Amino acid sequence: MKTSDTLPLPIRDQPGLRAALADANLPTLLMVYSTFTRDRAYLDSFAPFLKGAYAAEAPMAVPATMADDLRNRLFALLTQPEPPVEKPLEPEFLRHMMGVGVGEEVDPGLVPVLYDQMGFDKPVPRKDLPGRRMPPQDFDVLVIGGGMSGIAAGIKLSEAGYFYTIVEKNAELGGTWWENRYPGVGVDTPSHFYSYSFELNPEWSHYHPKGPEIQNYLLGVADKHGVRSNVLFETRVTGATWDDAAAKWHVHLLHGDGTTGEKTVSAVLLAHGVLNRWSMPNIPGLDAFEGTKMHTAGWNPSVDLTGKRVAVIGTGASAAQLVPAIADQVSQLTVFQRSKHWVLSNPDINVGVNDNVRFALRNIPHYKEWFRFRVYWFTGDGLYGNVKMEADWPNKDVSISAQNDAARTYALQYINTKLADRPELIEKIVPDYPIFGKRIVLDAEGGWLDTLVKPNVTLETRAIDHIDRNAVVLNDGTRVEVDVIALATGFEITKVAGNLDIVGKGGCRIQEDWGEDNPYSYLGVMAPGYPNFFFVLGPNSAPNHAAGVNMVIEAQINWMVETLDQMVAENAHKVEPTMAAYDAWNEKVAAQMSQMIWAHPKAKSYYLNSAGRNIISCPFRLADYWKWTRHPVREDLVLA
Ligand code: NAP
C-alpha cells in the first residue's frame, strides 16, 4: 500500500493522542494498527467481536482488556522515537483486514476500490503521467452545472490538462448545497464518505453535517483548485447542437441578463444533477393561495414562521428534516402525507464529531482513510443485500431477503417504540411495501417521529382536493387554514436531461430519443448518436441501494477523462459508444433490475418512469460499477 498523506510520526502531543485513542472507533484503530504491523494473529483475535450490519448474531463488545491493549500498542507505535517503517500490504491481507474490520467477508474486488476511493492512493495528476500525450490546446470541455459533480469534473479535467468552462445557472458554486437552504437541511450520508476521495476532510463537525458546512467544504475545494475562474455564473445552458464536420458542440446559453450566447467546444459534460428541477405539485388552486408558498429547494430564509400556521406537503427526506426544525417555532404544523415512507433510525444523525476523534482523523496515519472505508461499507455496499431479492425468500410480500427482513424488523421496533402511545400514527406511517422499496427517511432523537407526536403537529393522510386563498382543502371538504405552504414535493428526477435541447448526429434529439421519461445510456455516461457528450449520474447510475453518489460521480468523471485521453492518444476527434455496447449494457441492467427491490409489485417510487421501469437506480454494487467504469473498454467505443 502506498501511504496516503504521510502524517508526521512520532506524534508528539501524547495526552492528545491518549484521548484520541480512547474515543476513536476501535475497529478503525485495529485497521491502522494492522496496516503498520501486518500481524494477522492479532487482527484475527478481534474477529469474534466484530459483526456486520444486521448480522444474525449481535456484536459483542470487544473486551476492555483487548481494547486497552490495542490502544496501548498503537500509542507505543505512534510515539516511538524511530517511526515504524511501512511496507506494502499484500492485497489478500488487505482484503482480510477489510473483512475483519466490517465483520463479514468482503470480496477481492474491493481492494482496488479501497486504494482509490478511500484516499489511500494519492493519484498522480494525469498530466504528470509519463508517456501520456497531452490534449491539444484547442480541445476544451464545457461542464453543465457547478455542483458537487461539476466541481470535481473541473478539477480532474484540469489535472489532465484539458481546458474547461463550467456553466452554472446560480451566482455561486455548490448546486444542491447552495440552493437548499430550508431549515434543518443536511446530509444523511456521513460526510466522512460523502466527500471527495481526493480531498478528505478530517474537520467535519458532525458525522452528518448541515447544508452550510457541506457548501463551505465544496467551495473550499473549488477554491483550492482554482475552479472559480473557469465558471460562467448566472448562465443557463438551454441546448447544444453537434457539428459533425467540425467535431464540435455549439452550446446555447442564456445569461442572467436575458441575453443569449453560444460557446463552441470539443466535448460537453452534463452535470446538472438529479435533484435540480423542482417538482411543483399539480394541486388545483395552488396558484390562488394568498399566503407564502415555497419549495424546499427555493426556501426564503427571510420568511418569519414564528406563530404561523404552516402546511408541509410531502413526507420525504426534505420534509423529515424541515418539520423538526420548524415545529417549535410555528403555531400549527400540518404535514400532508400522500404515501408512506419507511423510517429507519440512525442515532448518529445529530452526533457531533468530538475533538478527540477529530485529533485521530487529523493525526493518526490512515485513520481517516480506514474510517471512510467503514462508512462506505456500512452506508453503501454493505447494504446491497437490502435491495437484492433472494430467489427463494419465502416472505416476499413484506420483505425480499434476510438482510431486508432484518432491516424491516429494526425499523418496526424503532417506530413502535417511538410511537408506542400513538397507535393511530403507527397505522398512518408504516408502509406495506418492503423497506428500501423507495427512499427511506432516516431519523434520530428529536427528529421526525418525535416531532410528529408534538401537540401542535398533525400528520394528515386524507387526500388534498384543492387549495384556495387561505386553506388546503381535503377530499371530504375539511379546510385546513394556513399562512404558509412549504412544498417538500421533491424533484423531476425522471426527466434526466431536463428541458435541454440536445441535438446529436444527423439531427437526433435526446428529448425525442428519451421522450418524457424513458432514457437509456451506455454505462450511465454516454449515448450513441451524441459524440463527445458525457453524463454524470445518467440513466441507471444512481446508487439507490444506499449512500455513494460521491463515488459514482468520481468514477464517471474518471471514465470521461480516460475516454478523452483515448481520443487524444489515437488522434481522434469524436467518440461515442457502439450500439452493441449500449444494448449489452441495457440488457445487463434490465436483467439485474428484475431481481431488485424496485421491481417488487408494491414498490412505487420516483425511481420509476410512467411505464414502471426504473430509470434512475444502478442495480449493481458501487464496487462493481466502479470497476466497470475504471477504464474505458476500447471495443465498446467508436473513435473517429
Ligand atoms: P421526495 O423524496 O421526492 O419526496 C416528495 C414528497 O412529496 C413525497 O412524500 C411525495 O409523495 C410528496 N408529493 C409529491 N407530489 C405531491 C403532490 N402532488 N401531492 C402530495 N404530495 C406530493 O423529495 P425530497 O424529500 O425533496 O427528497 C428528494 C431527494 O433528495 C431524496 O430522495 C434524497 O435523495 C435527497 N435528499 C436527501 C436528504 C438527506 O441526505 N438528508 C435530504 C433531503 C433530500 P409520494 O411519496 O406519494 O410521491
Side-chain angles (χ1 to χ4, degrees):
M1 179 191 294
K2 239 172 51 184
T3 50
S4 42
D5 292 324
T6 312
L7 295 171
L9 286 179
I11 294 177
R12 302 211 181 271
D13 179 355
Q14 298 199 355
L17 177 59
R18 276 268 181 232
L21 292 169
D23 282 1
N25 176 268
L26 202 72
T28 306
L29 293 179
L30 179 64
M31 296 301 104
V32 171
Y33 182 74
S34 305
T35 303
F36 281 108
T37 63
R38 302 179 304 284
D39 183 341
R40 189 170 178 134
Y42 189 71
L43 171 70
D44 287 350
S45 68
F46 285 81
F49 307 102
L50 306 175
K51 296 280 170 249
Y54 310 115
E57 257 177 288
M60 292 182 275
V62 174
T65 47
M66 284 179 72
D68 286 345
D69 179 65
L70 172 61
R71 292 185 185 111
N72 289 335
R73 284 172 181 238
L74 257 177
F75 183 83
L77 193 81
L78 300 172
T79 55
Q80 67 192 38
E82 193 58 44
V85 179
E86 282 193 60
K87 295 196 195 117
L89 288 171
E90 287 297 315
E92 171 47 27
F93 183 68
L94 196 56
R95 187 199 67 79
H96 182 67
M97 278 176 71
M98 292 157 92
V100 173
V102 299
E104 57 192 291
E105 274 289 297
V106 299
D107 74 51
L110 280 182
V111 173
V113 177
L114 183 81
Y115 280 125
D116 179 72
Q117 278 298 308
M118 307 312 143
F120 278 108
D121 257 354
K122 274 281 156 212
V124 180
R126 197 167 284 273
K127 61 183 163 206
D128 297 339
L129 290 175
R132 172 179 172 268
R133 195 164 172 186
M134 279 295 279
Q137 291 283 315
D138 63 347
F139 195 102
D140 50 355
V141 183
L142 185 141
V143 178
I144 306 176
M148 190 174 190
S149 305
I151 293 169
I155 293 168
K156 293 294 155 189
L157 283 164
S158 167
E159 281 180 0
Y162 291 94
F163 294 96
Y164 72 93
T165 305
I166 296 174
V167 180
E168 168 53 54
K169 70 180 191 313
N170 293 323
E172 183 53 287
L173 293 166
T176 284
W177 299 107
W178 190 83
E179 288 188 6
N180 280 266
R181 297 169 190 200
Y182 59 83
V185 62
V187 61
D188 57 25
T189 302
S191 273
H192 297 90
F193 178 45
Y194 180 78
S195 49
Y196 299 124
S197 69
F198 54 90
E199 285 293 350
L200 301 197
N201 174 20
E203 306 298 338
W204 293 114
S205 70
H206 287 74
Y207 294 97
H208 300 268
K210 295 295 175 203
E213 189 172 347
I214 303 166
Q215 171 69 357
N216 279 343
Y217 164 81
L218 292 176
L219 292 188
V221 172
D223 285 338
K224 176 178 168 189
H225 291 269
V227 171
R228 196 179 289 277
S229 58
N230 293 57
V231 186
L232 209 48
F233 285 108
E234 296 187 90
T235 301
R236 279 177 184 274
V237 171
T238 54
T241 307
W242 175 245
D243 177 343
D244 202 51
K248 296 276 183 191
W249 282 98
H250 301 293
V251 182
H252 316 302
L253 306 174
L254 176 61
H255 302 290
D257 62 5
T259 58
T260 56
E262 188 176 291
K263 234 177 139 29
T264 299
V265 293
S266 310
V268 176
L269 174 68
L270 180 58
H272 67 172
V274 277
L275 304 176
N276 182 8
R277 298 156 296 284
W278 311 349
S279 172
M280 301 301 277
N282 194 11
I283 303 174
L286 183 59
D287 289 340
F289 182 65
E290 289 174 2
T292 304
K293 57 175 187 289
M294 305 180 268
H295 191 278
T296 43
W299 198 262
N300 178 356
S302 66
V303 173
D304 184 7
L305 297 178
T306 310
K308 298 270 168 50
R309 298 163 302 173
V310 177
V312 173
I313 300 183
T315 51
S318 298
Q321 290 182 332
L322 171 70
V323 165
I326 62 172
D328 292 340
Q329 195 189 352
V330 306
S331 64
Q332 180 62 43
L333 184 54
T334 311
V335 183
F336 293 87
Q337 173 181 280
R338 183 169 68 178
S339 44
K340 301 173 178 182
H341 295 243
W342 275 101
V343 179
L344 197 61
S345 152
N346 178 353
D348 282 346
I349 285 277
N350 297 317
V351 173
V353 183
N354 79 27
D355 288 346
N356 296 334
V357 174
R358 264 205 296 277
F359 182 104
L361 287 158
R362 211 181 284 137
N363 297 309
I364 296 180
H366 309 309
Y367 184 89
K368 65 182 182 308
E369 292 80 8
W370 275 114
F371 189 64
R372 185 173 172 95
F373 170 68
R374 192 169 177 78
V375 178
Y376 148 73
W377 185 256
F378 286 114
T379 65
D381 276 345
L383 304 184
Y384 186 70
N386 277 328
V387 295
K388 174 95 187 336
M389 293 182 192
E390 276 172 30
D392 50 1
W393 181 248
N395 212 3
K396 286 197 170 57
D397 195 42
V398 293
S399 54
I400 57 150
S401 66
Q403 191 175 340
N404 180 269
D405 203 60
R408 177 190 174 86
T409 304
Y410 179 69
L412 278 174
Q413 272 166 358
Y414 177 72
I415 297 168
N416 289 334
T417 307
K418 277 272 171 206
L419 303 180
D421 298 333
R422 298 285 300 274
E424 89 292 356
L425 264 183
I426 298 178
E427 184 80 10
K428 278 181 175 180
I429 70 158
V430 174
D432 67 347
Y433 57 86
I435 187 165
F436 293 104
K438 76 173 175 189
R439 196 188 189 284
I440 49 162
V441 163
L442 285 171
D443 196 27
E445 204 55 31
W448 177 238
L449 295 187
D450 285 338
T451 307
L452 290 183
V453 298
K454 290 192 171 180
N456 67 333
V457 179
T458 306
L459 181 69
E460 184 52 74
T461 54
R462 287 172 288 179
I464 299 172
D465 182 75
H466 67 278
I467 290 174
D468 69 16
R469 197 172 65 69
N470 64 350
V472 178
V473 184
L474 304 176
N475 264 351
D476 64 5
T478 307
R479 288 171 51 78
V480 182
E481 292 197 358
V482 290
D483 308 305
V484 177
I485 297 180
L487 301 165
T489 45
F491 302 87
E492 289 182 358
I493 289 172
T494 50
K495 207 161 181 335
V496 176
N499 290 323
L500 296 181
D501 187 21
I502 310 297
V503 185
K505 247 171 40 182
C508 62
R509 287 192 131 85
I510 272 197
Q511 296 290 356
E512 287 164 14
D513 289 357
W514 288 359
E516 263 306 294
D517 61 3
N518 198 28
Y520 286 94
S521 70
Y522 165 69
L523 277 177
V525 291
M526 279 195 110
Y530 301 89
N532 304 6
F533 196 97
F534 300 87
F535 319 124
V536 175
L537 295 173
N540 291 114
S541 67
N544 295 134
H545 60 282
V549 73
N550 48 296
M551 195 161 147
V552 169
I553 287 169
E554 287 191 27
Q556 294 179 327
I557 290 167
N558 175 71
W559 188 91
M560 171 189 69
V561 174
E562 291 209 2
T563 301
L564 294 177
D565 272 9
Q566 186 71 37
M567 264 169 71
V568 172
E570 295 187 26
N571 218 1
H573 301 282
K574 310 173 201 176
V575 61
E576 61 179 308
T578 65
M579 275 313 286
Y582 166 84
D583 288 341
W585 170 252
N586 287 306
E587 279 162 26
K588 183 168 165 160
V589 167
Q592 188 75 2
M593 196 63 86
S594 67
Q595 301 170 48
M596 305 304 288
I597 194 165
W598 309 296
H600 190 282
K602 285 188 185 168
K604 307 277 175 259
S605 68
Y606 65 62
Y607 310 139
L608 308 182
N609 69 2
S610 47
R613 181 171 76 86
N614 186 330
I615 58 157
I616 300 294
S617 312
C618 178
F620 307 103
R621 291 185 323 164
L622 289 163
D624 295 320
Y625 184 77
W626 178 91
K627 192 169 65 195
W628 298 327
T629 48
R630 193 69 200 132
H631 305 292
V633 174
R634 182 62 188 83
E635 311 82 86
D636 286 359
L637 302 174
V638 186
L639 274 82

